[in-house]
Amino acid sequence: MLDKAKTLTHGAYDAAAASALKILVIHTRWNVEIVSALRDGVLATLTNQYAIPRSNIDVVEVPGAFELPFATKALLKQGKYDAVIPIGVLIKGATVHFEYISESATHALMNVGLESGTPVIFGILTCLTEEQALQRAGIGSGAEKGHNHGIDWAAAAVEMALLNQGKARKH
Amino acid sequence: MLDKAKTLTHGAYDAAAASALKILVIHTRWNVEIVSALRDGVLATLTNQYAIPRSNIDVVEVPGAFELPFATKALLKQGKYDAVIPIGVLIKGATVHFEYISESATHALMNVGLESGTPVIFGILTCLTEEQALQRAGIGSGAEKGHNHGIDWAAAAVEMALLNQGKARKH
Amino acid sequence: MLDKAKTLTHGAYDAAAASALKILVIHTRWNVEIVSALRDGVLATLTNQYAIPRSNIDVVEVPGAFELPFATKALLKQGKYDAVIPIGVLIKGATVHFEYISESATHALMNVGLESGTPVIFGILTCLTEEQALQRAGIGSGAEKGHNHGIDWAAAAVEMALLNQGKARKH
Amino acid sequence: MLDKAKTLTHGAYDAAAASALKILVIHTRWNVEIVSALRDGVLATLTNQYAIPRSNIDVVEVPGAFELPFATKALLKQGKYDAVIPIGVLIKGATVHFEYISESATHALMNVGLESGTPVIFGILTCLTEEQALQRAGIGSGAEKGHNHGIDWAAAAVEMALLNQGKARKH
Amino acid sequence: MLDKAKTLTHGAYDAAAASALKILVIHTRWNVEIVSALRDGVLATLTNQYAIPRSNIDVVEVPGAFELPFATKALLKQGKYDAVIPIGVLIKGATVHFEYISESATHALMNVGLESGTPVIFGILTCLTEEQALQRAGIGSGAEKGHNHGIDWAAAAVEMALLNQGKARKH
């Protein structure tokens, strides 16, 4: 599914504007090994690829994915961030809890972004197995190590924040 | 699914602020044995773990899960609570009533939280069997006794209320 | 699924306030035998169990379940009712009409209640067979006669109207 | 599924008020044979059954079902219509385009009706086969000719428009 | 599924008004070969079929389909465009990411159109296989080359923009 070379090559962009962005990362604590890898992928990309100082990035924890939209909206009220990357990992279980949380959190993150006017990236993995989640965090087993989606989410946050500042290139 | 050690260890927090929180618990009457266990798990955690006086906690009943969002919104208008924990137990039946109630209640609780500015925890079990619900209330049979999710909901309510007061730790 | 003894035993309540409530019942005309039984269950419960005068209750018809939310919102504008009980019966057919009407009507009734500030009860049966609907209207065949859900809806309307007036008991 | 005798017998109504109604019909162009039959069923019913002059009825085309809610809202801004009947035919295809269009159009038509305060009828057939759609337009093959749902939609539009004018009979 | 002769023959229209329209095209970068074909189909139709100068059309890129609604809303704030054509290609993968992105993006594009008052076309392919997507971009293999849906989206954008300017023909 993932095309590693893709999202990072979003063409020329204003590197100075990118490095001045203020980013909020909110992550859950469920499936901590996977979430941590995703968060680290986000942070490494923001700081290395886009030269955003670590001090421009706030990292906040919430219990689970249902809390991500509320935390995003509440913390955006401070008027401080150019983009938010909510990170969570949902894995199908025996009940249908997974389905209702996935659906409501996805809709709500979309709506919080639209209503706040600040880009909110979709950093939730909705997986049927733990192995799927591990692979999408770049920590799958053996040859199926996978690609860390946090890298893409960081790139998307930068691109959308610049677009939101009127810096999108128009062809 | 549940990682008992997890939600309770949300790191250092402002214990004095936590113990001063005012919490609203709203629960349904369907599947009363299960709902009661969940409610008791919530109350024990709020009072024992976080030292919130019982007098800071209001407990209100509604008929079923469809009523939880309305009651949450109506009672939040009093401006008195720092977080709400709506508790309900939905179990798949012969019709698709379960699916429509689960979906609409989940979305509505999310939206009431977002619009009110007060954290609303997702305390509804959406289970395919009664045994699944019993286990998630810590009263399953034998070795499958399970973990009382009320404990997690209480911890989530405290954490989100503090976050909403600007007390989230930023890394 | 139904626990007959449950919803009617919502504990002590303000009987005088209950009997003064003004209730709007809106029902569809599809599956008229079933809808009529549900409506009669609602009316009998409101007048007998809660001593609400029949003159305090308005009954209005609409074509189908998709019309219930609009009629509820339109008639609530008169500022006259303390609760609404929309009644409809949806039965799975050969197309997926059932699914889209069920889902959109459920969401919309929830939202009309939340936005109007008046409790709107979920009085729609979403059944896979006609027999399921007959049983949930208390008119199933033989020993499977079933429980008339209209009884529960009436009780829920009274309970939620009183809660909305600030009369919910807090523990 | 359809009970032909039903929707047309919505009891006594204000015939003079009905014949003065202004109705907007919006239809898609996909599956044109079926859509045309439905539109004709709507028009014949409005003019013959309810004596609404053809000059009181506007008919507008849009490309597909996704465009129906936007057109409904845009044309309602003229403040000219008492009800809208959006007509479309969606048939399950090889992809899941059908599901996403059906769901979003249904929700959106519901919401446009609720927010505009003008009744919007659900005139979309969501069918798994073309034959199902033909039957619901009254043009199925042989004995399965079916009932033209446009007849019901026209009756529903009249009934809801009168209800919205405060002319619903209350029992 | 596609009836090539259909959408292009939306009857007589104001050609001068059409050629003066300002259109925003936003496309994702996932599945770039398919997206590019769709974008080119859109551009060729707008410029050749409707004589819209290329300088009246802006083309902007976003990472993925979840970003389309935000970008649409953000760029519409400039008050410059008469219609938006968001283009994306979603293909079912091993997880249920596809389902949640498809559903939330569809709803959100609908709502951004309704709330902005500017037509937003649904230019997302939601396919179960890559071959389905290739065919709907007119680049399927061999005899199954398919029809480029971008052609229809361009026509729909023109038609809806004119409708939104009060230029829809009423019958």
Side-chain angles (χ1 to χ4, degrees), chain D residues 10 13-23 46 49-53 56 82 158 162 165 167:
Chain D
H10 53 65
Y13 62 90
D14 184 334
S19 71
L21 292 172
K22 291 188 172 55
I23 309 285
L46 292 176
Q49 176 80 15
Y50 295 101
I52 299 177
N56 275 19
D82 300 302
V158 169
L162 295 179
Q165 293 179 350
K167 297 194 174 69

mmCIF file with all atom_site columns, all heavy atoms in Angstrom, chain D residues 10 13-23 46 49-53 56 82 158 162 165 167:
data_model
loop_
_atom_site.group_PDB
_atom_site.id
_atom_site.type_symbol
_atom_site.label_atom_id
_atom_site.label_alt_id
_atom_site.label_comp_id
_atom_site.label_asym_id
_atom_site.label_entity_id
_atom_site.label_seq_id
_atom_site.pdbx_PDB_ins_code
_atom_site.Cartn_x
_atom_site.Cartn_y
_atom_site.Cartn_z
_atom_site.occupancy
_atom_site.B_iso_or_equiv
_atom_site.pdbx_formal_charge
_atom_site.auth_seq_id
_atom_site.auth_comp_id
_atom_site.auth_asym_id
_atom_site.auth_atom_id
_atom_site.pdbx_PDB_model_num
ATOM 1   N N   . HIS D 1 10  ? -54.044 9.371  3.045   1.00 0.00 ? 10  HIS D N   1
ATOM 2   C CA  . HIS D 1 10  ? -53.609 9.966  4.303   1.00 0.00 ? 10  HIS D CA  1
ATOM 3   C C   . HIS D 1 10  ? -54.734 10.758 4.953   1.00 0.00 ? 10  HIS D C   1
ATOM 4   O O   . HIS D 1 10  ? -54.495 11.725 5.653   1.00 0.00 ? 10  HIS D O   1
ATOM 5   C CB  . HIS D 1 10  ? -52.333 10.784 4.147   1.00 0.00 ? 10  HIS D CB  1
ATOM 6   C CG  . HIS D 1 10  ? -52.353 11.837 3.091   1.00 0.00 ? 10  HIS D CG  1
ATOM 7   N ND1 . HIS D 1 10  ? -53.168 12.914 3.136   1.00 0.00 ? 10  HIS D ND1 1
ATOM 8   C CD2 . HIS D 1 10  ? -51.619 11.975 1.964   1.00 0.00 ? 10  HIS D CD2 1
ATOM 9   C CE1 . HIS D 1 10  ? -52.934 13.698 2.084   1.00 0.00 ? 10  HIS D CE1 1
ATOM 10  N NE2 . HIS D 1 10  ? -52.009 13.147 1.350   1.00 0.00 ? 10  HIS D NE2 1
ATOM 11  N N   . TYR D 1 13  ? -57.714 16.108 4.053   1.00 0.00 ? 13  TYR D N   1
ATOM 12  C CA  . TYR D 1 13  ? -56.722 17.174 4.080   1.00 0.00 ? 13  TYR D CA  1
ATOM 13  C C   . TYR D 1 13  ? -57.315 18.387 3.394   1.00 0.00 ? 13  TYR D C   1
ATOM 14  O O   . TYR D 1 13  ? -58.349 18.306 2.722   1.00 0.00 ? 13  TYR D O   1
ATOM 15  C CB  . TYR D 1 13  ? -55.422 16.716 3.411   1.00 0.00 ? 13  TYR D CB  1
ATOM 16  C CG  . TYR D 1 13  ? -55.580 16.358 1.954   1.00 0.00 ? 13  TYR D CG  1
ATOM 17  C CD1 . TYR D 1 13  ? -55.408 17.316 0.951   1.00 0.00 ? 13  TYR D CD1 1
ATOM 18  C CD2 . TYR D 1 13  ? -55.924 15.057 1.572   1.00 0.00 ? 13  TYR D CD2 1
ATOM 19  C CE1 . TYR D 1 13  ? -55.568 16.982 -0.378  1.00 0.00 ? 13  TYR D CE1 1
ATOM 20  C CE2 . TYR D 1 13  ? -56.096 14.723 0.245   1.00 0.00 ? 13  TYR D CE2 1
ATOM 21  C CZ  . TYR D 1 13  ? -55.908 15.700 -0.737  1.00 0.00 ? 13  TYR D CZ  1
ATOM 22  O OH  . TYR D 1 13  ? -56.096 15.378 -2.041  1.00 0.00 ? 13  TYR D OH  1
ATOM 23  N N   . ASP D 1 14  ? -56.652 19.504 3.536   1.00 0.00 ? 14  ASP D N   1
ATOM 24  C CA  . ASP D 1 14  ? -57.124 20.774 2.989   1.00 0.00 ? 14  ASP D CA  1
ATOM 25  C C   . ASP D 1 14  ? -56.811 20.803 1.494   1.00 0.00 ? 14  ASP D C   1
ATOM 26  O O   . ASP D 1 14  ? -55.703 21.150 1.090   1.00 0.00 ? 14  ASP D O   1
ATOM 27  C CB  . ASP D 1 14  ? -56.425 21.911 3.747   1.00 0.00 ? 14  ASP D CB  1
ATOM 28  C CG  . ASP D 1 14  ? -56.912 23.291 3.321   1.00 0.00 ? 14  ASP D CG  1
ATOM 29  O OD1 . ASP D 1 14  ? -57.387 23.434 2.164   1.00 0.00 ? 14  ASP D OD1 1
ATOM 30  O OD2 . ASP D 1 14  ? -56.795 24.209 4.139   1.00 0.00 ? 14  ASP D OD2 1
ATOM 31  N N   . ALA D 1 15  ? -57.788 20.438 0.679   1.00 0.00 ? 15  ALA D N   1
ATOM 32  C CA  . ALA D 1 15  ? -57.552 20.284 -0.760  1.00 0.00 ? 15  ALA D CA  1
ATOM 33  C C   . ALA D 1 15  ? -57.171 21.614 -1.420  1.00 0.00 ? 15  ALA D C   1
ATOM 34  O O   . ALA D 1 15  ? -56.334 21.654 -2.332  1.00 0.00 ? 15  ALA D O   1
ATOM 35  C CB  . ALA D 1 15  ? -58.784 19.687 -1.431  1.00 0.00 ? 15  ALA D CB  1
ATOM 36  N N   . ALA D 1 16  ? -57.769 22.683 -0.956  1.00 0.00 ? 16  ALA D N   1
ATOM 37  C CA  . ALA D 1 16  ? -57.446 23.985 -1.547  1.00 0.00 ? 16  ALA D CA  1
ATOM 38  C C   . ALA D 1 16  ? -55.994 24.359 -1.257  1.00 0.00 ? 16  ALA D C   1
ATOM 39  O O   . ALA D 1 16  ? -55.265 24.828 -2.142  1.00 0.00 ? 16  ALA D O   1
ATOM 40  C CB  . ALA D 1 16  ? -58.396 25.055 -0.994  1.00 0.00 ? 16  ALA D CB  1
ATOM 41  N N   . ALA D 1 17  ? -55.580 24.126 -0.007  1.00 0.00 ? 17  ALA D N   1
ATOM 42  C CA  . ALA D 1 17  ? -54.186 24.415 0.353   1.00 0.00 ? 17  ALA D CA  1
ATOM 43  C C   . ALA D 1 17  ? -53.236 23.521 -0.438  1.00 0.00 ? 17  ALA D C   1
ATOM 44  O O   . ALA D 1 17  ? -52.180 23.965 -0.897  1.00 0.00 ? 17  ALA D O   1
ATOM 45  C CB  . ALA D 1 17  ? -53.973 24.219 1.855   1.00 0.00 ? 17  ALA D CB  1
ATOM 46  N N   . ALA D 1 18  ? -53.615 22.268 -0.617  1.00 0.00 ? 18  ALA D N   1
ATOM 47  C CA  . ALA D 1 18  ? -52.761 21.343 -1.367  1.00 0.00 ? 18  ALA D CA  1
ATOM 48  C C   . ALA D 1 18  ? -52.578 21.838 -2.797  1.00 0.00 ? 18  ALA D C   1
ATOM 49  O O   . ALA D 1 18  ? -51.462 21.853 -3.326  1.00 0.00 ? 18  ALA D O   1
ATOM 50  C CB  . ALA D 1 18  ? -53.371 19.939 -1.361  1.00 0.00 ? 18  ALA D CB  1
ATOM 51  N N   . SER D 1 19  ? -53.630 22.240 -3.420  1.00 0.00 ? 19  SER D N   1
ATOM 52  C CA  . SER D 1 19  ? -53.546 22.614 -4.834  1.00 0.00 ? 19  SER D CA  1
ATOM 53  C C   . SER D 1 19  ? -52.795 23.927 -5.041  1.00 0.00 ? 19  SER D C   1
ATOM 54  O O   . SER D 1 19  ? -52.450 24.284 -6.165  1.00 0.00 ? 19  SER D O   1
ATOM 55  C CB  . SER D 1 19  ? -54.951 22.705 -5.437  1.00 0.00 ? 19  SER D CB  1
ATOM 56  O OG  . SER D 1 19  ? -55.624 23.832 -4.918  1.00 0.00 ? 19  SER D OG  1
ATOM 57  N N   . ALA D 1 20  ? -52.543 24.639 -3.956  1.00 0.00 ? 20  ALA D N   1
ATOM 58  C CA  . ALA D 1 20  ? -51.794 25.904 -4.063  1.00 0.00 ? 20  ALA D CA  1
ATOM 59  C C   . ALA D 1 20  ? -50.303 25.724 -3.791  1.00 0.00 ? 20  ALA D C   1
ATOM 60  O O   . ALA D 1 20  ? -49.528 26.682 -3.880  1.00 0.00 ? 20  ALA D O   1
ATOM 61  C CB  . ALA D 1 20  ? -52.379 26.931 -3.092  1.00 0.00 ? 20  ALA D CB  1
ATOM 62  N N   . LEU D 1 21  ? -49.899 24.510 -3.494  1.00 0.00 ? 21  LEU D N   1
ATOM 63  C CA  . LEU D 1 21  ? -48.492 24.275 -3.139  1.00 0.00 ? 21  LEU D CA  1
ATOM 64  C C   . LEU D 1 21  ? -47.567 24.489 -4.332  1.00 0.00 ? 21  LEU D C   1
ATOM 65  O O   . LEU D 1 21  ? -47.941 24.251 -5.480  1.00 0.00 ? 21  LEU D O   1
ATOM 66  C CB  . LEU D 1 21  ? -48.312 22.852 -2.607  1.00 0.00 ? 21  LEU D CB  1
ATOM 67  C CG  . LEU D 1 21  ? -48.962 22.555 -1.253  1.00 0.00 ? 21  LEU D CG  1
ATOM 68  C CD1 . LEU D 1 21  ? -48.884 21.064 -0.939  1.00 0.00 ? 21  LEU D CD1 1
ATOM 69  C CD2 . LEU D 1 21  ? -48.319 23.376 -0.139  1.00 0.00 ? 21  LEU D CD2 1
ATOM 70  N N   . LYS D 1 22  ? -46.353 24.910 -4.017  1.00 0.00 ? 22  LYS D N   1
ATOM 71  C CA  . LYS D 1 22  ? -45.305 25.040 -5.031  1.00 0.00 ? 22  LYS D CA  1
ATOM 72  C C   . LYS D 1 22  ? -44.242 23.980 -4.752  1.00 0.00 ? 22  LYS D C   1
ATOM 73  O O   . LYS D 1 22  ? -43.657 23.942 -3.676  1.00 0.00 ? 22  LYS D O   1
ATOM 74  C CB  . LYS D 1 22  ? -44.712 26.442 -4.985  1.00 0.00 ? 22  LYS D CB  1
ATOM 75  C CG  . LYS D 1 22  ? -45.712 27.487 -5.478  1.00 0.00 ? 22  LYS D CG  1
ATOM 76  C CD  . LYS D 1 22  ? -45.106 28.855 -5.626  1.00 0.00 ? 22  LYS D CD  1
ATOM 77  C CE  . LYS D 1 22  ? -46.079 29.805 -6.304  1.00 0.00 ? 22  LYS D CE  1
ATOM 78  N NZ  . LYS D 1 22  ? -47.398 29.876 -5.600  1.00 0.00 ? 22  LYS D NZ  1
ATOM 79  N N   . ILE D 1 23  ? -44.001 23.139 -5.751  1.00 0.00 ? 23  ILE D N   1
ATOM 80  C CA  . ILE D 1 23  ? -43.138 21.970 -5.552  1.00 0.00 ? 23  ILE D CA  1
ATOM 81  C C   . ILE D 1 23  ? -41.942 22.022 -6.512  1.00 0.00 ? 23  ILE D C   1
ATOM 82  O O   . ILE D 1 23  ? -42.097 22.335 -7.690  1.00 0.00 ? 23  ILE D O   1
ATOM 83  C CB  . ILE D 1 23  ? -43.921 20.662 -5.812  1.00 0.00 ? 23  ILE D CB  1
ATOM 84  C CG1 . ILE D 1 23  ? -45.240 20.635 -5.023  1.00 0.00 ? 23  ILE D CG1 1
ATOM 85  C CG2 . ILE D 1 23  ? -43.051 19.444 -5.505  1.00 0.00 ? 23  ILE D CG2 1
ATOM 86  C CD1 . ILE D 1 23  ? -45.124 20.379 -3.562  1.00 0.00 ? 23  ILE D CD1 1
ATOM 87  N N   . LEU D 1 46  ? -49.068 14.812 -8.541  1.00 0.00 ? 46  LEU D N   1
ATOM 88  C CA  . LEU D 1 46  ? -49.224 16.195 -8.060  1.00 0.00 ? 46  LEU D CA  1
ATOM 89  C C   . LEU D 1 46  ? -50.347 16.909 -8.809  1.00 0.00 ? 46  LEU D C   1
ATOM 90  O O   . LEU D 1 46  ? -51.172 17.610 -8.203  1.00 0.00 ? 46  LEU D O   1
ATOM 91  C CB  . LEU D 1 46  ? -47.913 16.968 -8.235  1.00 0.00 ? 46  LEU D CB  1
ATOM 92  C CG  . LEU D 1 46  ? -46.733 16.540 -7.345  1.00 0.00 ? 46  LEU D CG  1
ATOM 93  C CD1 . LEU D 1 46  ? -45.485 17.333 -7.715  1.00 0.00 ? 46  LEU D CD1 1
ATOM 94  C CD2 . LEU D 1 46  ? -47.059 16.723 -5.860  1.00 0.00 ? 46  LEU D CD2 1
ATOM 95  N N   . GLN D 1 49  ? -53.924 14.051 -8.763  1.00 0.00 ? 49  GLN D N   1
ATOM 96  C CA  . GLN D 1 49  ? -54.458 13.683 -7.444  1.00 0.00 ? 49  GLN D CA  1
ATOM 97  C C   . GLN D 1 49  ? -54.682 14.919 -6.573  1.00 0.00 ? 49  GLN D C   1
ATOM 98  O O   . GLN D 1 49  ? -55.646 14.987 -5.822  1.00 0.00 ? 49  GLN D O   1
ATOM 99  C CB  . GLN D 1 49  ? -53.452 12.748 -6.764  1.00 0.00 ? 49  GLN D CB  1
ATOM 100 C CG  . GLN D 1 49  ? -53.774 12.329 -5.346  1.00 0.00 ? 49  GLN D CG  1
ATOM 101 C CD  . GLN D 1 49  ? -54.796 11.209 -5.336  1.00 0.00 ? 49  GLN D CD  1
ATOM 102 O OE1 . GLN D 1 49  ? -55.046 10.575 -6.358  1.00 0.00 ? 49  GLN D OE1 1
ATOM 103 N NE2 . GLN D 1 49  ? -55.439 10.997 -4.198  1.00 0.00 ? 49  GLN D NE2 1
ATOM 104 N N   . TYR D 1 50  ? -53.755 15.882 -6.674  1.00 0.00 ? 50  TYR D N   1
ATOM 105 C CA  . TYR D 1 50  ? -53.826 17.039 -5.777  1.00 0.00 ? 50  TYR D CA  1
ATOM 106 C C   . TYR D 1 50  ? -54.179 18.338 -6.495  1.00 0.00 ? 50  TYR D C   1
ATOM 107 O O   . TYR D 1 50  ? -54.200 19.392 -5.883  1.00 0.00 ? 50  TYR D O   1
ATOM 108 C CB  . TYR D 1 50  ? -52.499 17.177 -5.020  1.00 0.00 ? 50  TYR D CB  1
ATOM 109 C CG  . TYR D 1 50  ? -52.269 15.998 -4.104  1.00 0.00 ? 50  TYR D CG  1
ATOM 110 C CD1 . TYR D 1 50  ? -51.410 14.962 -4.452  1.00 0.00 ? 50  TYR D CD1 1
ATOM 111 C CD2 . TYR D 1 50  ? -52.967 15.897 -2.900  1.00 0.00 ? 50  TYR D CD2 1
ATOM 112 C CE1 . TYR D 1 50  ? -51.226 13.874 -3.618  1.00 0.00 ? 50  TYR D CE1 1
ATOM 113 C CE2 . TYR D 1 50  ? -52.791 14.805 -2.065  1.00 0.00 ? 50  TYR D CE2 1
ATOM 114 C CZ  . TYR D 1 50  ? -51.920 13.798 -2.429  1.00 0.00 ? 50  TYR D CZ  1
ATOM 115 O OH  . TYR D 1 50  ? -51.752 12.720 -1.609  1.00 0.00 ? 50  TYR D OH  1
ATOM 116 N N   . ALA D 1 51  ? -54.414 18.259 -7.800  1.00 0.00 ? 51  ALA D N   1
ATOM 117 C CA  . ALA D 1 51  ? -54.847 19.431 -8.565  1.00 0.00 ? 51  ALA D CA  1
ATOM 118 C C   . ALA D 1 51  ? -53.880 20.607 -8.476  1.00 0.00 ? 51  ALA D C   1
ATOM 119 O O   . ALA D 1 51  ? -54.284 21.774 -8.484  1.00 0.00 ? 51  ALA D O   1
ATOM 120 C CB  . ALA D 1 51  ? -56.256 19.852 -8.125  1.00 0.00 ? 51  ALA D CB  1
ATOM 121 N N   . ILE D 1 52  ? -52.598 20.271 -8.356  1.00 0.00 ? 52  ILE D N   1
ATOM 122 C CA  . ILE D 1 52  ? -51.597 21.335 -8.366  1.00 0.00 ? 52  ILE D CA  1
ATOM 123 C C   . ILE D 1 52  ? -51.313 21.696 -9.821  1.00 0.00 ? 52  ILE D C   1
ATOM 124 O O   . ILE D 1 52  ? -50.995 20.825 -10.634 1.00 0.00 ? 52  ILE D O   1
ATOM 125 C CB  . ILE D 1 52  ? -50.295 20.859 -7.676  1.00 0.00 ? 52  ILE D CB  1
ATOM 126 C CG1 . ILE D 1 52  ? -50.602 20.488 -6.215  1.00 0.00 ? 52  ILE D CG1 1
ATOM 127 C CG2 . ILE D 1 52  ? -49.207 21.915 -7.776  1.00 0.00 ? 52  ILE D CG2 1
ATOM 128 C CD1 . ILE D 1 52  ? -49.411 19.939 -5.452  1.00 0.00 ? 52  ILE D CD1 1
ATOM 129 N N   . PRO D 1 53  ? -51.445 22.962 -10.177 1.00 0.00 ? 53  PRO D N   1
ATOM 130 C CA  . PRO D 1 53  ? -51.185 23.359 -11.566 1.00 0.00 ? 53  PRO D CA  1
ATOM 131 C C   . PRO D 1 53  ? -49.736 23.035 -11.940 1.00 0.00 ? 53  PRO D C   1
ATOM 132 O O   . PRO D 1 53  ? -48.824 23.222 -11.123 1.00 0.00 ? 53  PRO D O   1
ATOM 133 C CB  . PRO D 1 53  ? -51.399 24.871 -11.568 1.00 0.00 ? 53  PRO D CB  1
ATOM 134 C CG  . PRO D 1 53  ? -52.089 25.202 -10.304 1.00 0.00 ? 53  PRO D CG  1
ATOM 135 C CD  . PRO D 1 53  ? -51.800 24.109 -9.327  1.00 0.00 ? 53  PRO D CD  1
ATOM 136 N N   . ASN D 1 56  ? -47.072 25.414 -11.095 1.00 0.00 ? 56  ASN D N   1
ATOM 137 C CA  . ASN D 1 56  ? -46.592 25.510 -9.705  1.00 0.00 ? 56  ASN D CA  1
ATOM 138 C C   . ASN D 1 56  ? -45.409 24.573 -9.440  1.00 0.00 ? 56  ASN D C   1
ATOM 139 O O   . ASN D 1 56  ? -44.890 24.547 -8.339  1.00 0.00 ? 56  ASN D O   1
ATOM 140 C CB  . ASN D 1 56  ? -47.702 25.121 -8.719  1.00 0.00 ? 56  ASN D CB  1
ATOM 141 C CG  . ASN D 1 56  ? -48.622 26.275 -8.394  1.00 0.00 ? 56  ASN D CG  1
ATOM 142 O OD1 . ASN D 1 56  ? -48.659 27.253 -9.140  1.00 0.00 ? 56  ASN D OD1 1
ATOM 143 N ND2 . ASN D 1 56  ? -49.372 26.166 -7.302  1.00 0.00 ? 56  ASN D ND2 1
ATOM 144 N N   . ASP D 1 82  ? -42.585 24.931 -1.386  1.00 0.00 ? 82  ASP D N   1
ATOM 145 C CA  . ASP D 1 82  ? -43.148 24.371 -0.150  1.00 0.00 ? 82  ASP D CA  1
ATOM 146 C C   . ASP D 1 82  ? -42.623 22.967 0.138   1.00 0.00 ? 82  ASP D C   1
ATOM 147 O O   . ASP D 1 82  ? -42.779 22.472 1.259   1.00 0.00 ? 82  ASP D O   1
ATOM 148 C CB  . ASP D 1 82  ? -44.672 24.332 -0.255  1.00 0.00 ? 82  ASP D CB  1
ATOM 149 C CG  . ASP D 1 82  ? -45.256 25.722 -0.455  1.00 0.00 ? 82  ASP D CG  1
ATOM 150 O OD1 . ASP D 1 82  ? -45.011 26.575 0.413   1.00 0.00 ? 82  ASP D OD1 1
ATOM 151 O OD2 . ASP D 1 82  ? -45.911 25.975 -1.489  1.00 0.00 ? 82  ASP D OD2 1
ATOM 152 N N   . VAL D 1 158 ? -46.825 16.489 -0.492  1.00 0.00 ? 158 VAL D N   1
ATOM 153 C CA  . VAL D 1 158 ? -48.028 17.278 -0.186  1.00 0.00 ? 158 VAL D CA  1
ATOM 154 C C   . VAL D 1 158 ? -48.336 17.214 1.308   1.00 0.00 ? 158 VAL D C   1
ATOM 155 O O   . VAL D 1 158 ? -48.557 18.236 1.964   1.00 0.00 ? 158 VAL D O   1
ATOM 156 C CB  . VAL D 1 158 ? -49.236 16.763 -1.002  1.00 0.00 ? 158 VAL D CB  1
ATOM 157 C CG1 . VAL D 1 158 ? -50.530 17.388 -0.494  1.00 0.00 ? 158 VAL D CG1 1
ATOM 158 C CG2 . VAL D 1 158 ? -49.024 17.052 -2.483  1.00 0.00 ? 158 VAL D CG2 1
ATOM 159 N N   . LEU D 1 162 ? -48.125 20.458 3.933   1.00 0.00 ? 162 LEU D N   1
ATOM 160 C CA  . LEU D 1 162 ? -49.281 20.911 4.720   1.00 0.00 ? 162 LEU D CA  1
ATOM 161 C C   . LEU D 1 162 ? -48.972 20.850 6.217   1.00 0.00 ? 162 LEU D C   1
ATOM 162 O O   . LEU D 1 162 ? -49.316 21.773 6.971   1.00 0.00 ? 162 LEU D O   1
ATOM 163 C CB  . LEU D 1 162 ? -50.512 20.067 4.386   1.00 0.00 ? 162 LEU D CB  1
ATOM 164 C CG  . LEU D 1 162 ? -51.016 20.202 2.934   1.00 0.00 ? 162 LEU D CG  1
ATOM 165 C CD1 . LEU D 1 162 ? -52.233 19.293 2.700   1.00 0.00 ? 162 LEU D CD1 1
ATOM 166 C CD2 . LEU D 1 162 ? -51.366 21.646 2.587   1.00 0.00 ? 162 LEU D CD2 1
ATOM 167 N N   . GLN D 1 165 ? -47.120 23.736 7.223   1.00 0.00 ? 165 GLN D N   1
ATOM 168 C CA  . GLN D 1 165 ? -47.915 24.976 7.277   1.00 0.00 ? 165 GLN D CA  1
ATOM 169 C C   . GLN D 1 165 ? -48.851 24.976 8.489   1.00 0.00 ? 165 GLN D C   1
ATOM 170 O O   . GLN D 1 165 ? -49.732 25.835 8.596   1.00 0.00 ? 165 GLN D O   1
ATOM 171 C CB  . GLN D 1 165 ? -48.752 25.111 5.995   1.00 0.00 ? 165 GLN D CB  1
ATOM 172 C CG  . GLN D 1 165 ? -47.925 25.337 4.737   1.00 0.00 ? 165 GLN D CG  1
ATOM 173 C CD  . GLN D 1 165 ? -48.791 25.434 3.483   1.00 0.00 ? 165 GLN D CD  1
ATOM 174 O OE1 . GLN D 1 165 ? -49.992 25.144 3.512   1.00 0.00 ? 165 GLN D OE1 1
ATOM 175 N NE2 . GLN D 1 165 ? -48.178 25.855 2.378   1.00 0.00 ? 165 GLN D NE2 1
ATOM 176 N N   . LYS D 1 167 ? -50.968 22.575 9.185   1.00 0.00 ? 167 LYS D N   1
ATOM 177 C CA  . LYS D 1 167 ? -52.268 21.995 8.836   1.00 0.00 ? 167 LYS D CA  1
ATOM 178 C C   . LYS D 1 167 ? -52.344 20.494 9.129   1.00 0.00 ? 167 LYS D C   1
ATOM 179 O O   . LYS D 1 167 ? -53.282 19.828 8.673   1.00 0.00 ? 167 LYS D O   1
ATOM 180 C CB  . LYS D 1 167 ? -52.564 22.234 7.353   1.00 0.00 ? 167 LYS D CB  1
ATOM 181 C CG  . LYS D 1 167 ? -52.697 23.706 6.989   1.00 0.00 ? 167 LYS D CG  1
ATOM 182 C CD  . LYS D 1 167 ? -53.325 23.894 5.627   1.00 0.00 ? 167 LYS D CD  1
ATOM 183 C CE  . LYS D 1 167 ? -53.588 25.346 5.321   1.00 0.00 ? 167 LYS D CE  1
ATOM 184 N NZ  . LYS D 1 167 ? -52.349 26.144 5.125   1.00 0.00 ? 167 LYS D NZ  1
#
